[in-house]
Amino acid sequence: MSKKKQGVLRPVVTLVAIACLSAFILGYVHELTLEPIKRAKDNQELAAIAEVVGDFDNNPFAEKMTITTKNKKHKMVMYPARKDGALNSVAIKTYSNNGFGGRIELIVGFNVDGSIKNFKIISSHETPGLGTKVDEPRFKEQFKGFYPRRQVLKVKQDGGDIDAVTAATVSSRAVLKAIERAFSAFSNFNSGRDDE
């Protein structure tokens, strides 16, 4: 082999070796961090469940189930919360893709009668200081005891009973859409239980 070909081949082989080694290292680090990331996300969700349903003595993760909205278009995860063996509330992981910054994920707590206990945003890309105010007590207090079957789960600008966050109506509507979706799934689940 000529010196010219050797001079070109050596850097190519070196680059391929570096690329393969880098890919192996990235794959290995990905596998190492997969479980801790999942555990941290589960802990975040468990803390959100505790915040939205209050006191429980079971393991909601062990009893979680997938439920769907009435139109069967959306699947959500429901976590039953029990105290002394009796179901006292549920938490439902829901979402909306209509936030100002895109997708918003939250966990909504419902009493067994369908009224809202509380909600907690677990993921969003809303504007800090504006859209993020949908997770503050001033906005959230409106939902405690709110009963979507008897009240209108829309912002007041749209003929509903909820005051939107000032300068964050899009974020407010997205949260309401996510809660509405969770309520639809909860109602659908309850209607299926009544039929049994």
Side-chain angles (χ1 to χ4, degrees):
M1 191 180 292
S2 70
K3 286 187 175 187
K4 188 175 183 182
K5 285 185 179 178
Q6 283 181 346
V8 171
L9 192 59
R10 187 172 291 160
V12 170
V13 170
T14 303
L15 283 174
V16 168
I18 290 171
C20 289
L21 182 62
S22 297
F24 173 77
I25 291 170
L26 283 172
Y28 180 72
V29 169
H30 174 73
E31 286 299 316
L32 277 179
T33 58
L34 210 54
E35 188 58 35
I37 289 170
K38 183 186 179 318
R39 200 169 33 252
K41 189 174 180 182
D42 287 350
N43 287 339
Q44 177 194 20
E45 286 185 16
L46 192 57
I49 290 166
E51 185 175 326
V52 302
V53 298
D55 200 22
F56 58 90
D57 57 14
N58 68 317
N59 178 356
F61 272 84
E63 297 183 47
K64 72 182 178 181
M65 62 188 77
T66 301
I67 60 175
T68 61
T69 53
K70 289 185 180 193
N71 63 11
K72 308 285 187 225
K73 287 185 178 180
H74 306 283
K75 292 182 179 181
M76 279 157 268
V77 178
M78 182 175 76
Y79 304 92
R82 301 179 190 280
K83 186 70 176 168
D84 300 323
L87 182 70
N88 65 6
S89 54
V90 298
I92 298 176
K93 184 177 178 183
T94 184
Y95 67 94
S96 171
N97 291 320
N98 301 329
F100 188 78
R103 187 176 177 98
I104 295 177
E105 294 181 356
L106 52 147
I107 295 194
V108 184
F110 291 98
N111 292 302
V112 290
D113 68 355
S115 61
I116 298 169
K117 288 185 95 165
N118 199 353
F119 73 86
K120 174 73 179 162
I121 294 181
I122 56 173
S123 174
S124 88
H125 303 286
E126 301 305 280
T127 307
L130 286 176
T132 55
K133 289 185 178 182
V134 294
D135 203 27
E136 292 181 358
R138 185 173 180 184
F139 181 68
K140 291 169 71 167
E141 285 296 319
Q142 302 176 82
F143 294 89
K144 290 186 179 175
F146 191 96
Y147 193 56
R149 282 197 178 105
R150 295 190 192 120
Q151 296 169 280
V152 182
L153 192 57
K154 292 183 178 180
V155 293
K156 288 187 177 175
Q157 294 96 312
D158 299 337
D161 294 319
I162 299 293
D163 286 316
V165 173
T166 304
T169 306
V170 172
S171 301
S172 302
R173 284 183 178 127
V175 167
L176 290 169
K177 184 67 178 169
I179 293 172
E180 179 185 20
R181 186 172 283 151
F183 181 72
S184 173
F186 180 67
S187 297
N188 189 44
F189 171 76
N190 274 341
S191 68
R193 288 179 60 204
D194 294 340
D195 293 342
E196 293 177 354

